[in-house]
Amino acid sequence: MTQLESTDHMALRAEMVRALHEEDAIVSEAVAAAFAAVPRHRFGPDMAPEAAYDLHTVLPVKRNEHGLNTSVISAPHLQGVMLEQADIQRGMRVLEIGSGGYNAALIQELVGPGGEVTTLDIDRDVIDRAREYLDETGYGQVKTVVADAETALADLGTFDRIIATVTTWDIPLSWINALTPEGRLVTPLTVCGTTRSVAFEREGDGLVSRSYRLASFVPMQGEGAAPDRKVMLREGVALQTDQEQVPLNAAALRRALEGDRLEKWSGAGYDLPDELDWWMALNLPSPARLHASQGVIESGLVEPSARLGVAALVSEDSIAYRTRRPNAETGAMGFESGVIAHGPQAEALAEQYAQLLREWAANHVRRGAATIRYTPGSAPSPLPRGTAPKRHGYVSVTWA
């Protein structure tokens, strides 16, 4: 590498750090110094340096036979957010679940020479690649482990911090047991098809959140992989849920979608759509996520809210989901929340959905106001609102 190239890379890193500060992805001097020190482009040598230092660009690590990413180095913006959530201090012992090398190097900068970093991945190819680049960039002290995180942590001791960089559907008890009494787990937790990076601390036998942020990661592989219940209602329209109690009768729901359409307007303002969508997914009695392609949306069959997935309420033969319309008299954004429903139960489902929209607008229109708890063991029956059952326990979310 020439001196000119080195200077260019340093300038790109400095610009990245400045931009991360501007977007509040990093707020501490320690995290800023880590990003300024680690050469991100060295962990993605096939990518142009300008792209490697872009705030929202992921670095592909491995793809499957269909060309889909199974391992990536996350975008700097998201890595900064999660490292700030983790609040890593000098001398700590830290475990990373899901490896790419770069994030482990950032963590090593944060713990310093007196700390210890272990990065774990289920895929030998991913770990071998991470090992190579960590050694080449001067982070040979980072430990690399090939194992399935669902079962491996019981043999690794305890950690001050555990950071998962893959989407987790559940939290094994071994992860909780691997935390020191004052430890913290930061994980992208999926609940009812929505994902948030949650910073958890111990509370009794379980966990309680200290912060959460919107996030998107590649899914967990191995024994901890999420259940995937998905049906196609027609070309370009899919309905998906991870909850066993939700009915997915593809034929009946297809007939409903292609039949009459009911609109119901809530009179409630539309605001904070990401937080609202999470509220709906967790409070609907039978939640799924409705996804529609741009072509289907342009045809008018499905509303634009479904382009990236929208919380839907489903029965055996009917479906309801959220939409909006301009209304200057409701909400800071000038829109009113409403419901689109199809099927024989359209009126009843639309009213249930609209009532939750009104409840949100009256009591909960603010970001970051939820408290998330994870409790090991069987979920209560009947299932309370805001509760999602998992394999090893259950998640309960309450809003202030």
Side-chain angles (χ1 to χ4, degrees), residues 256-257 260 317-319 341-347:
L257 183 68
D260 292 340
D317 58 6
S318 303
I319 183 171
H342 299 263
Q345 310 303 316
E347 180 65 43

Side-chain angles (χ1 to χ4, degrees), residues 11 77 98 141 150 186 212 217 239 245 287 291 302 315 326 342 361 388:
H77 184 276
Q141 68 270 50
E150 179 77 4
V186 179
Y212 63 93
F217 283 84
L239 199 61
Q245 78 277 12
H291 299 264
V302 179
S315 67
H342 299 263

Side-chain angles (χ1 to χ4, degrees), residues 213-246:
R213 298 285 293 270
L214 193 65
S216 177
F217 283 84
V218 296
M220 176 80 77
Q221 301 178 54
E223 292 187 30
D228 187 17
R229 299 182 61 218
K230 180 178 180 179
V231 294
M232 299 299 297
L233 302 189
R234 53 159 289 171
E235 185 177 354
V237 183
L239 199 61
Q240 188 171 21
T241 184
D242 57 10
Q243 302 299 307
E244 292 182 358
Q245 78 277 12
V246 177

Side-chain angles (χ1 to χ4, degrees), residues 40 43-44 47 52 56-64 67-76 78-79 82 96-104 119-123 125-127 129-130 133 163-167 188 215-221:
R40 189 170 192 263
F43 292 86
M47 182 171 284
H56 302 285
T57 297
V58 302
L59 303 183
V61 171
K62 188 174 181 178
R63 293 184 171 91
N64 63 17
L68 300 175
N69 287 322
T70 59
S71 177
V72 301
I73 295 174
S74 302
L78 189 49
Q79 289 176 311
M82 293 185 74
E96 178 193 38
I97 297 172
S99 189
Y102 174 68
N103 197 57
T119 181
L120 177 153
D121 201 282
I122 195 171
D123 192 318
D125 293 341
V126 171
I127 280 292
R129 181 187 186 278
Y133 292 133
I163 302 176
T165 58
V166 290
T167 297
S216 177
F217 283 84
V218 296
M220 176 80 77
Q221 301 178 54

Side-chain angles (χ1 to χ4, degrees), residues 249-333:
N249 186 329
L253 292 170
R254 182 182 303 113
R255 288 193 297 270
L257 183 68
E258 294 175 348
D260 292 340
R261 164 189 174 114
L262 171 77
E263 292 186 8
K264 180 178 285 289
W265 297 99
S266 68
Y270 171 87
D271 206 356
L272 302 177
D274 58 327
E275 198 85 354
L276 168 61
D277 200 54
W278 203 34
W279 155 266
M280 297 304 299
L282 279 152
N283 284 276
L284 291 169
S286 183
R289 291 195 71 75
L290 178 68
H291 299 264
S293 68
Q294 186 62 32
V296 171
I297 291 169
E298 290 175 355
S299 75
L301 179 65
V302 179
E303 291 290 294
S305 57
R307 186 175 66 85
L308 298 177
V310 64
L313 174 60
V314 298
S315 67
E316 283 285 349
D317 58 6
S318 303
I319 183 171
Y321 65 98
R322 170 177 52 78
T323 187
R324 68 178 190 177
R325 68 178 178 182
N327 187 339
E329 297 179 1
T330 62
M333 296 176 66

